[in-house]
């Protein structure tokens, strides 16, 4: 079983990441930590609790950072709506928050578990993870790996070159990519073209029936309007859930090795994830000092097995529906 901490800003696709993490028997969801991103952290935390309640699950939820480390706060209300999770009915939380700050929850959990057994899954701005490194650097050698949604190697969604999660806290992402651990970047190039809630997937979820099916369909109905309208994505993009799917079954993704640097000072390119792919020859480098020489230790997600991704989502809705009905 993959032990994970899901660090998120629900968020429509974040809620599907929670669904997979909570329902799939291959995942041991140690906790959910929240961060400001799609909306402020009060709303994303409320949305995390409401989502768990809607699914009938109870896991530790710890509230995290109120804003980026250095940058001005940027939210995605135009995409995710006034609540940060517009569309589905958000039930009042059926349980209380963990008393710790998300950063302390991450540190405690990583340090308590055997080394190299806990995977961090940041799917909002990467603020909490960077602050956890700064507060307790030993987490870097203890964590198994980081599989995060963010970045792009072609084009962005908040600026021409930057993806939202990385742009929203570029300094934090820079800290996370520079740390000496295994990072897989699940970026927009994949998620907004391949991880889509196609009509066929929506029909399969509809056929299950019940309140969880309705919750998921309402999520997709709302986000279809903003993804379709503002971003011109054909169907709802389920970005964040891809990270969890890849931990359930790594063969669902193909990846390529790269050296990824985050642009923190570019006039037009702030928040860009500059990817130097090993397959491009490995002779190019970033120039400058020795610290800036090439090191292909990151992975970039390239392709997704969409039919199996859909099967995982359908299976998760079925499982949680069965459990909810039997409780
Ligand atoms: C990312 O930004 C958020 O709006 C989504 O939840 C996802 O994590 C996509 O750019
Ligand atoms: Ca997110």
């Amino acid at each position: 079983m993959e032990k994970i901490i899901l660090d998120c800003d629900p968020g429509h696709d974040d809620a599907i990441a929670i669904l997979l993490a909570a329902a799939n028997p291959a995942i041991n969801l140690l906790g959910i930590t929240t961060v400001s991103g799609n909306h402020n952290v009060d709303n994303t935390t409320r949305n995390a609790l409401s989502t768990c309640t809607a699914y009938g699950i109870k896991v530790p939820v710890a509230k995290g950072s109120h804003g980026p480390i250095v940058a001005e706060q940027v939210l995605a209300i135009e995409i995710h709506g006034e609540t940060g999770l517009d569309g589905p009915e958000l039930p009042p939380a059926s349980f209380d928050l963990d008393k710790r700050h998300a950063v302390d929850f991450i540190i405690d959990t990583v340090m308590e578990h055997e080394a190299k057994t806990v995977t961090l899954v940041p799917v909002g701005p990467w603020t909490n993870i960077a602050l956890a490194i700064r507060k307790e650097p030993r987490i870097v050698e203890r964590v198994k790996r980081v599989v995060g949604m963010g970045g792009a190697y072609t084009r962005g969604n908040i600026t021409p070159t930057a993806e939202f999660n990385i742009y929203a806290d570029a300094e934090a992402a820079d800290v996370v990519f520079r740390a000496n651990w295994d990072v897989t970047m699940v970026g927009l190039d994949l998620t907004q073209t391949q991880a889509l809630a196609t009509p066929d997937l929506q029909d399969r979820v509809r056929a299950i029936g019940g309140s969880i099916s309705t919750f998921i369909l309402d999520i997709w109905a709302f986000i279809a309007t903003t993804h379709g309208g503002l971003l011109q994505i054909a169907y709802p993009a389920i970005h964040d859930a891809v990270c969890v799917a890849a931990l359930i079954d790594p063969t669902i993704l193909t990846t390529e090795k790269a050296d990824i640097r985050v642009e923190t000072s570019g006039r037009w390119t702030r928040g860009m994830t500059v990817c130097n792919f090993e397959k491009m020859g490995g002779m190019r480098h970033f120039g400058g000092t020795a610290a800036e020489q090439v090191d292909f230790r990151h992975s970039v997600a390239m392709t997704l097995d969409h039919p199996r991704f859909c099967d995982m989502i359908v299976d998760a809705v079925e499982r949680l529906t069965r459990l909810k009905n039997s409780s």
Side-chain angles (χ1 to χ4, degrees):
M1 263 222 250
E2 280 286 334
K3 293 191 274 190
I4 74 167
I5 299 173
L6 183 63
D7 184 64
C8 58
D9 59 340
H12 295 72
D13 51 313
D14 304 75
I16 313 295
I18 295 174
L19 172 89
L20 286 188
N24 195 289
I27 301 290
N28 178 358
L29 179 57
L30 301 176
I32 294 172
T33 51
T34 61
V35 65
S36 69
N38 287 327
H39 211 291
N40 64 46
V41 74
D42 290 334
N43 277 20
T44 60
T45 306
R46 188 269 323 278
N47 295 346
L49 290 168
S50 290
T51 299
C52 291
T53 303
Y55 294 161
I57 59 164
K58 191 174 168 207
V59 290
V61 177
K63 181 175 175 178
S65 305
H66 283 261
I69 297 174
V70 179
E72 287 292 314
Q73 175 92 73
V74 29
L75 304 175
I77 297 173
E78 72 286 5
I79 303 293
H80 295 271
E82 285 305 318
T83 60
L85 186 48
D86 275 12
E89 199 182 311
L90 299 173
S94 62
F95 60 97
D96 292 334
L97 275 179
D98 192 279
K99 292 202 170 15
R100 288 165 288 183
H101 189 279
V103 170
D104 294 313
F105 180 89
I106 292 167
I107 293 170
D108 289 352
T109 308
V110 169
M111 298 310 284
E112 270 162 18
H113 284 81
E114 205 182 316
K116 302 286 183 202
T117 62
V118 177
T119 295
L120 302 181
V121 187
V123 297
W126 296 9
T127 317
N128 290 330
I129 312 295
L131 289 174
I133 296 175
R134 287 293 182 257
K135 189 165 184 194
E136 179 46 277
R138 287 179 301 166
I139 67 165
V140 171
E141 61 193 34
R142 282 191 78 85
V143 157
K144 183 175 177 189
R145 57 195 293 226
V146 179
V147 179
M149 196 281 142
Y153 57 87
T154 51
R155 55 185 154 171
N157 59 357
I158 183 149
T159 72
T161 57
E163 180 280 332
F164 175 77
N165 288 343
I166 305 299
Y167 181 85
D169 198 345
E171 283 74 18
D174 186 38
V175 168
V176 175
F177 277 112
R178 279 175 190 267
N180 188 22
W181 55 10
D182 180 347
V183 183
T184 298
M185 173 179 118
V186 177
L188 271 183
D189 317 279
L190 182 154
T191 61
Q192 69 177 7
T193 57
Q194 301 176 55
L196 303 182
T198 51
D200 176 60
L201 171 60
Q202 297 197 36
D203 287 346
R204 290 174 68 192
V205 170
R206 189 170 298 107
I208 298 167
S211 63
I212 299 175
S213 158
T214 303
F215 188 83
I216 306 289
L217 291 168
D218 289 348
I219 281 178
W220 287 335
F222 177 84
I223 204 76
T225 63
T226 58
H227 278 179
L230 268 178
L231 299 174
Q232 299 188 355
I233 306 174
Y235 305 112
I238 323 174
H239 312 281
D240 297 347
V242 176
C243 298
V244 181
L247 291 164
I248 293 169
D249 180 355
T251 67
I252 204 164
L253 284 186
T254 61
T255 59
E256 283 187 20
K257 284 286 177 199
D259 182 355
I260 303 171
R261 310 290 170 97
V262 180
E263 182 59 87
T264 53
S265 59
R267 182 173 170 204
W268 306 112
T269 54
R270 186 180 153 78
M272 181 180 186
T273 42
V274 182
C275 297
N276 187 8
F277 283 97
E278 189 172 25
K279 271 196 180 165
M280 302 284 284
M283 293 303 288
R284 294 174 313 146
H285 57 77
F286 285 92
T289 64
E292 288 164 331
Q293 297 309 303
V294 78
D295 176 8
F296 302 111
R297 64 199 177 77
H298 302 123
S299 300
V300 180
M302 306 300 288
T303 62
L304 171 73
D305 184 333
H306 183 259
R308 282 204 287 143
F309 180 59
C310 293
D311 290 346
M312 281 182 190
I313 292 171
V314 171
D315 177 68
V317 178
E318 281 172 349
R319 266 174 206 275
L320 290 188
T321 301
R322 263 199 314 275
L323 283 173
K324 205 176 176 190
N325 289 344
S326 66
S327 66

